[in-house]
Amino acid sequence: QIPLRLVGSEMCIRDSSHAEAMRDDPEGWGAAESRELENHRRNGTFQLINRSSTTGSDAKRKRLVPLTWVYKRKRSGILKARLCVVGCAQRPGVDFDQVTCNTLQASSLRMLAALAALDQLHMRRWDFEAAYLQGELEVGESVDCSAPPGHATTGDDGGVVVWRAQRPVYGMAQAGRRWQRSLYPWLLEFGLQQSEADPSVFYMRTAPGAHRHKDASIAADVLYVGCYVDDLFILYKHDGGGSLYDKFTTALKQRWRVEDEGPITDLLNIEIEHGDDAVTLKQTAYITKLNKEYFPNGPPADVHASTVPHTMDIRECVLEATADGAAPAAPALATYKRLVGALLYCATQTRPDVSYYPVSMLCRAMSRPTAALMDAALRVLAYLNKHKEVGLRYQCDAQNRLRGYSDADWAVQRSQSGFVFTLGRASISWGSKRQPVVALSTCEAELMAATEAAKEAVHLRRLHAELTFENNPPPTRLHLDNMGAIDTAYNHAHHSRMKHCDRKVFWIRELVEDHKIVVPFVESDKNIADFLTKPLPAKKFFAIRKVIMNEC
């Protein structure tokens, strides 16, 4: 039997080969391979040439890159074989140069969800069929491959036949970048504008009164497109004939092989629920999957709804672990890394309630986990499982403005900075970072935290202005709870006590002078960024969680 494992909604073969597939089901897998090869033939992906024509003075053609088969048995029983390049065998500078492929940023996805709630936009997901194969390689670029296992032939010269890839192929190191450089120019050619803040976001608006249309409402239309490799996250106001969405999808179907997957329900293991008055992002299924893996007999019985995800002594546990020079056993280390990595994905996507305490702290001991830290990681998972239905809930807000909060937990050694930005009543961006230098006062620590938050404010402000088509947006409010830091952000009132600080700490003054941000005061017990700087008791923890996630 070919070893199988469950991946999403499909069964994928692991550590398999063409020979194993043929032993398992020669007729079924053989037909699947034939269908894949026929797709490549119609697409013009490969050019078959004699091996002798790739040698000679052209030294880079002397070594061939292997091709391999990846097999899938879907839940429906359909057998699928995909031909892939073994990308790890490609040589940098010979077979490829640049490989970076931009993807939709997490904060951009959350901002689009917030705008969908604020403006009552429709949301749909479109998928490209065999996206990479629809891309184009650079002029003169090609990759010479050996024949696929089971399909080697002899050339005219009696030698082997080389499969020269003339289009991006799955597994190829540069395939994602080449696909992106085929898709993005087409989106711009259609008329969409590309965001400067996030190159994977495109937008378009038909201004009211710009032209006459039999349906007057369509004269005020909007279209947003978020790209994540071969998935399009499309938000639109109208879908009738003549609307931006109708024109875009018509052109999309004419140019590319695409599939309309309907109203979006999930993207990147994030579930998206669109109700009458709210858009919610959560990871219930992802957390359930983790729970089954690490708690096969069910979660601990001592975890209650009022249990916070951290213990108050977690900082001490991390310091003890990092000070210990003994390396843990390899299996324990691998398990810890895998679990904390999975928790980190939750913390950076939809769960700011576990972002700093404890997930960020657990990451500091990634190479030196102890039994206490493993228990702490399992405690986080048990907490998430108990509250797996909780997510970021965006609703229409009376002000509909981007707002930020910054805070710092001053320490004798390096302090902790934290910030959170909200739109549509819930968080769209958050972060927590240990400060790079020792702060000599609370004012200094708060100012360094505010500078980090201001950098995020500039990014979000630019993206929000683009998507809302504001030419001169009002200053973004960045709330602080330290009057000394606020005074320093506006002037040199505390020069004698701050003259030793690096110049970058005072960059926030330039933003204030340019009317990009304002720094109002907020009382400490109302500063929701406190959530990301220190462990909190249960009562305060759940009170702030309710605010930053806009729980019902």
Side-chain angles (χ1 to χ4, degrees):
Q1 290 292 324
I2 300 178
L4 300 175
R5 65 187 176 97
L6 182 64
V7 177
S9 61
E10 299 174 333
M11 299 297 291
C12 293
I13 294 179
R14 180 177 59 189
D15 300 328
S16 59
S17 66
H18 170 78
E20 289 175 318
M22 293 303 103
R23 287 195 298 268
D24 176 73
D25 185 354
E27 183 176 349
W29 293 119
E33 289 182 1
S34 297
R35 289 193 297 270
E36 175 72 356
L37 293 175
E38 177 61 21
N39 289 337
H40 284 290
R41 188 194 64 78
R42 290 198 306 266
N43 194 57
T45 307
F46 294 100
Q47 177 188 8
L48 274 59
I49 59 177
N50 294 326
R51 178 72 170 106
S52 57
S53 65
T54 67
T55 57
S57 60
D58 193 358
K60 77 173 186 177
R61 302 296 183 193
K62 291 182 179 179
R63 192 172 73 181
L64 301 181
V65 178
L67 289 172
T68 188
W69 289 104
V70 176
Y71 303 95
K72 292 183 180 180
R73 178 180 287 119
K74 296 188 174 182
R75 290 186 183 277
S76 60
I78 296 176
L79 303 183
K80 182 176 180 180
R82 172 163 284 172
L83 187 60
C84 300
V85 170
V86 180
C88 59
Q90 290 183 267
R91 294 159 292 173
V94 176
D95 297 309
F96 66 90
D97 184 13
Q98 297 294 321
V99 298
T100 302
C101 177
N102 294 320
T103 56
L104 183 67
Q105 298 176 15
S107 58
S108 300
L109 172 63
R110 294 189 290 262
M111 181 173 286
L112 289 172
L115 292 177
L118 294 172
D119 299 332
Q120 291 296 296
L121 301 179
H122 304 284
M123 302 186 296
R124 295 184 79 86
R125 174 174 172 171
W126 284 67
D127 177 63
F128 290 88
E129 300 176 3
Y132 286 179
L133 303 184
Q134 298 189 58
E136 299 285 346
L137 292 176
E138 296 291 307
V139 176
E141 181 183 21
S142 62
V143 177
D144 287 349
C145 305
S146 57
H151 297 274
T153 56
T154 302
D156 298 337
D157 58 357
V160 298
V161 171
V162 174
W163 291 50
R164 177 167 292 178
Q166 302 180 110
R167 288 180 176 274
V169 181
Y170 283 94
M172 191 181 290
Q174 69 269 43
R177 185 175 180 86
R178 294 295 175 260
W179 159 244
Q180 175 181 286
R181 295 185 70 172
S182 299
L183 174 64
Y184 284 15
W186 181 85
L187 294 174
L188 295 173
E189 183 182 343
F190 174 78
L192 291 165
Q193 293 178 263
Q194 187 174 23
S195 169
E196 294 182 0
D198 185 347
S200 296
V201 176
F202 296 79
Y203 56 93
M204 176 184 263
R205 180 181 69 167
T206 301
H211 66 279
R212 293 184 179 182
H213 194 279
K214 61 181 181 181
D215 185 351
S217 64
I218 293 182
D221 201 0
V222 66
L223 177 71
Y224 301 130
V225 179
C227 303
Y228 197 94
V229 189
D230 60 346
D231 288 313
L232 295 185
F233 178 30
I234 303 178
L235 298 86
Y236 55 96
K237 190 72 173 177
H238 306 286
D239 58 1
S243 65
L244 292 180
Y245 175 78
D246 178 63
K247 293 177 180 178
F248 175 71
T249 54
T250 299
L252 192 68
K253 289 183 288 187
Q254 291 174 348
R255 171 60 180 85
W256 310 95
R257 298 192 305 275
V258 291
E259 179 183 0
D260 180 6
E261 297 188 343
I264 191 166
T265 57
D266 67 276
L267 184 67
L268 309 175
N269 279 321
I270 299 174
E271 297 153 49
I272 303 175
E273 296 181 356
H274 195 177
D276 294 335
D277 65 339
V279 174
T280 303
L281 306 182
K282 58 184 181 180
Q283 293 177 276
T284 304
Y286 182 71
I287 294 170
T288 300
K289 178 183 176 182
L290 291 177
N291 183 70
K292 291 180 179 179
E293 180 178 355
Y294 292 96
F295 295 131
N297 298 322
D302 58 347
V303 176
H304 305 287
S306 59
T307 302
V308 294
H310 56 262
T311 56
M312 302 304 287
D313 63 344
I314 188 171
R315 186 196 296 266
E316 288 71 22
C317 292
V318 171
L319 291 175
E320 180 181 347
T322 53
D324 185 3
L333 180 61
T335 300
Y336 181 84
K337 287 184 175 181
R338 188 168 62 252
L339 173 56
V340 174
L343 297 176
L344 184 62
Y345 186 67
C346 289
T348 56
Q349 300 300 312
T350 65
R351 299 303 297 258
D353 51 333
V354 299
S355 182
Y356 175 53
Y357 275 96
V359 172
S360 179
M361 294 297 295
L362 293 173
C363 289
R364 295 183 185 180
M366 194 67 87
S367 62
R368 289 286 187 274
T370 61
L373 290 180
M374 188 64 194
D375 289 341
L378 292 173
R379 178 189 177 102
V380 181
L381 179 56
Y383 162 84
L384 290 174
N385 182 69
K386 197 72 176 180
H387 302 272
K388 59 187 174 184
E389 294 295 336
V390 175
L392 297 169
R393 184 168 173 266
Y394 300 102
Q395 286 182 292
C396 188
D397 189 356
Q399 297 183 13
N400 288 352
R401 300 306 310 173
L402 181 68
R403 291 189 291 270
Y405 297 81
S406 172
D407 196 18
D409 180 27
W410 184 65
V412 176
Q413 297 181 347
R414 286 187 283 176
S415 306
Q416 190 74 23
S417 300
F419 68 82
V420 60
F421 287 86
T422 63
L423 181 67
R425 301 188 185 182
S427 305
I428 61 166
S429 182
W430 56 87
S432 183
K433 183 180 181 180
R434 187 165 59 170
Q435 295 182 354
V437 297
V438 175
L440 303 183
S441 66
T442 55
C443 176
E444 189 176 327
E446 293 279 358
L447 191 61
M448 283 194 284
T451 301
E452 288 297 318
K455 292 192 294 185
E456 186 69 10
V458 170
H459 164 69
L460 295 174
R461 172 186 170 84
R462 182 185 298 123
L463 179 61
H464 184 259
E466 290 175 333
L467 298 181
T468 55
F469 306 95
E470 290 185 277
N471 294 325
N472 296 299
T476 300
R477 299 172 67 86
L478 177 59
H479 298 79
L480 305 182
D481 59 7
N482 185 282
M483 287 303 303
I486 293 175
D487 290 342
T488 306
Y490 281 99
N491 51 60
H492 295 268
H494 302 285
H495 172 72
S496 61
R497 283 176 284 180
M498 304 295 291
K499 59 185 178 182
H500 62 284
C501 294
D502 291 337
R503 183 181 178 184
K504 66 178 182 180
V505 175
F506 303 108
W507 174 64
I508 191 172
R509 288 180 184 164
E510 183 177 330
L511 299 180
V512 171
E513 290 297 320
D514 291 342
H515 301 288
K516 294 182 179 179
I517 68 170
V518 292
V519 191
F521 176 77
V522 62
E523 296 178 6
S524 296
D525 59 350
K526 295 181 180 179
N527 189 351
I528 58 177
D530 191 42
F531 199 68
L532 296 157
T533 62
K534 62 178 71 70
L536 300 176
K539 183 177 180 180
K540 188 173 183 180
F541 175 87
F542 286 105
I544 296 183
R545 190 188 78 171
K546 185 174 183 179
V547 174
I548 68 172
M549 303 185 75
N550 190 28
E551 295 182 61
C552 297

